[in-house]
Amino acid sequence: MSPVINRFCLYGLLKNQRYFAAFWILAFLDKGMSFALIGTLMAFREISVIVMEIPTGAIADMLGRRWAMIVSHVAYVAAFLTFGFTTSTIAIFVAMFAFAIGEAFRTGTHKAIIFSWLKSQGREKEKTQIYGITRSWSQIGSAISVIIAAGMVFVLEDYSVIFWVSAIPAALNIINFLTYPRELDRSATPDKSRGKVMIRLWEATLSCFTSAKLRRPISESMGYEGMYNASKDYLQPLIQQMVLAIPLLTAWQTTQRTAVMIAVVYSLLYVLSSFASRYAGPISAFLGDEERAARWLWMAFGGTFVVLLLGTVTDWTGLAIVSFVVLAVLQNIWRPILVGRVANYADDAAMATVLSVESQVKSLGLAIIAPVLGFAVDRTPEPYQFAPIALFGIAISALALIPLGSDASPTSKVEEPTAASEA
């Protein structure tokens, strides 16, 4: 691979050194929060992202994508340090707002950097494959991070340290961005006029909803990504539930036993997810094309939630855990294919804006689903506490598989604004 692609992969490796990721819900439960409050915190993060994301995507397109990534990671460092050193609910919400700033500047922007570089090299057809490779390195980073995090939790029996230690790789990624080629810092259109920035923002955003070929994958992202991201962290209390139910490693404290089991399950999850991302391109080609692959993935998504329902209403907690692992694998096939579908119809100059719209819609889905799921889990009798997650997933999958009629011509794109439109 080229040195530039290696830097893209290094970004993913460092970005996913979020040592709290596999302990996120357990850490907040340890701070005295309920599932409903945790869901509200997640919704607050996503609403904050929604408010900021499209403008930051447009700013990244017009004023500098590389510097947008640097601002993003400065915000991450501030958020991680605050999470680690506070137990105040108000301070946690403030930290989550800083985290949302980081997400808003990052999402869509780095993918736009990748696609712009591929276009400059005449390699546009490799977008799903290359993005899948870079995403696979993100999953490798996650596999490494969960082992390190589990070790810290096992030794210290404290969740706080995994937050502030996460600030170190975020700071290292800032150095990585400074080594990116300078020509990737800006979009194809260097105009800095504030009026033209807003025109481009409006036109690119409007096209996401007026173009049928863009509207379909973006609306699917709201359901698929929103449901997956709202539910995936419930794997953590399920693992803890299994640890408490079986006489395994009883010489250790519950926190230590949970850390070991999380390390085992999440390491397997991330390794499988890495392979899934790497082979998303070949899987898409095998299934026919990206549109056909998406439909097959929706069916697999719904079927896995059926299995999850069986695991949550019986004593087969292991089956529920396996279901979450399968959902992660499916999502890591889905994501490169979804991004490829969106990129097929988005003009390069508006790419970060369009991808930010997609990410914003995904955030809206999570913001709607997360607090509802948290409330439902809190109110469901303990033996069936996690069944609402499966029921929501089944319902969303069924809705997504309903045909919506014919789409627009596959050649339609989000066009770069014309001179007349900018006048």
Side-chain angles (χ1 to χ4, degrees):
M1 291 191 295
S2 76
V4 176
I5 294 178
N6 288 337
R7 292 188 184 100
F8 295 159
C9 293
L10 177 60
Y11 154 75
L13 184 72
L14 290 172
K15 175 181 71 70
N16 279 28
Q17 295 303 301
R18 294 178 175 179
Y19 304 115
F20 57 83
F23 297 90
W24 184 277
I25 285 189
L26 296 179
F28 287 139
L29 289 172
D30 192 55
K31 291 177 183 290
M33 302 177 74
S34 66
F35 284 113
L37 185 55
I38 292 170
T40 302
L41 182 66
M42 293 170 66
F44 170 75
R45 178 191 67 200
E46 298 308 313
I47 291 170
S48 299
V49 171
I50 288 169
V51 170
M52 296 181 289
E53 194 164 29
I54 293 181
T56 54
I59 292 168
D61 273 328
M62 301 300 297
L63 303 180
R65 295 170 179 172
R66 188 172 58 131
W67 285 101
M69 296 300 297
I70 291 172
V71 170
S72 164
H73 281 65
V74 170
Y76 284 146
V77 169
F80 299 158
L81 291 175
T82 306
F83 281 137
F85 290 115
T86 188
T87 57
S88 164
T89 300
I90 294 175
I92 289 172
F93 272 85
V94 172
M96 192 60 85
F97 183 73
F99 185 87
I101 292 173
E103 293 289 276
F105 272 96
R106 180 186 64 81
T107 52
T109 303
H110 198 266
K111 289 185 282 291
I113 289 175
I114 294 174
F115 296 147
S116 291
W117 183 81
L118 288 173
K119 183 173 182 179
S120 72
Q121 302 296 307
R123 300 171 64 177
E124 298 98 319
K125 293 182 179 179
E126 299 178 51
K127 60 184 180 300
T128 299
Q129 178 184 355
I130 296 300
Y131 178 59
I133 290 172
T134 60
R135 187 176 174 83
S136 76
W137 277 97
S138 297
Q139 298 307 310
I140 291 171
S142 295
I144 294 170
S145 73
V146 74
I147 295 172
I148 295 173
M152 289 189 288
V153 171
F154 184 88
V155 172
L156 301 173
E157 296 186 56
D158 180 16
Y159 294 117
S160 296
V161 66
I162 59 179
F163 284 110
W164 62 260
V165 172
S166 299
I168 297 172
L172 291 175
N173 230 346
I174 294 174
I175 299 173
N176 182 39
F177 296 134
L178 294 174
T179 69
Y180 278 30
R182 291 185 180 274
E183 58 268 24
L184 296 179
D185 190 40
R186 302 189 186 280
S187 67
T189 307
D191 196 325
K192 296 185 179 182
S193 165
R194 180 178 297 180
K196 291 183 179 180
V197 169
M198 297 310 297
I199 289 172
R200 186 176 300 281
L201 166 63
W202 171 251
E203 290 185 345
T205 303
L206 186 63
S207 296
C208 292
F209 303 100
T210 58
S211 166
K213 278 292 182 180
L214 273 176
R215 187 171 60 245
R216 176 80 194 199
I218 286 174
S219 61
E220 287 184 20
S221 178
M222 180 178 183
Y224 197 111
E225 300 279 356
M227 182 62 212
Y228 173 75
N229 287 307
S231 63
K232 65 184 177 68
D233 290 329
Y234 286 95
L235 173 59
Q236 298 163 26
L238 273 171
I239 292 173
Q240 188 178 61
Q241 187 181 86
M242 184 178 71
V243 165
L244 293 172
I246 59 177
L248 182 67
L249 307 175
T250 52
W252 294 338
Q253 297 295 321
T254 299
T255 302
Q256 294 176 311
R257 294 163 63 197
T258 302
V260 171
M261 289 303 298
I262 282 180
V264 172
V265 173
Y266 271 85
S267 295
L268 176 63
L269 182 154
Y270 289 134
V271 169
L272 292 176
S273 296
S274 175
F275 280 105
S277 287
R278 183 174 292 271
Y279 291 104
I283 289 170
S284 176
F286 175 77
L287 294 174
D289 57 31
E290 289 159 343
E291 299 298 330
R292 290 186 181 90
R295 189 164 182 84
W296 278 105
L297 286 169
W298 268 116
M299 289 188 283
F301 192 66
T304 305
F305 275 109
V306 172
V307 177
L308 176 61
L309 180 62
L310 180 62
T312 56
V313 299
T314 65
D315 293 330
W316 301 344
T317 306
L319 184 63
I321 291 172
V322 170
S323 298
F324 272 107
V325 173
V326 173
L327 286 172
V329 171
L330 292 174
Q331 193 269 343
N332 280 280
I333 299 171
W334 164 271
R335 188 65 190 163
I337 290 173
L338 184 279
V339 170
R341 290 167 71 197
V342 173
N344 282 338
Y345 312 110
D347 183 77
D348 179 65
M351 187 72 72
T353 304
V354 172
L355 290 171
S356 288
V357 171
E358 180 274 324
S359 188
Q360 186 187 46
V361 170
K362 174 184 69 175
S363 297
L364 178 61
L366 195 160
I368 294 170
I369 296 170
V372 177
L373 271 186
F375 181 84
V377 168
D378 275 339
R379 295 298 185 272
T380 302
E382 189 170 344
Y384 314 107
Q385 190 172 27
F386 301 109
I389 300 169
L391 293 172
F392 268 76
I394 293 167
I396 289 172
S397 301
L399 287 173
L401 288 168
I402 298 174
L404 296 181
S406 59
D407 289 328
S409 167
T411 60
S412 61
K413 273 182 172 281
V414 178
E415 298 294 343
E416 185 175 358
T418 62
S421 70
E422 294 182 349

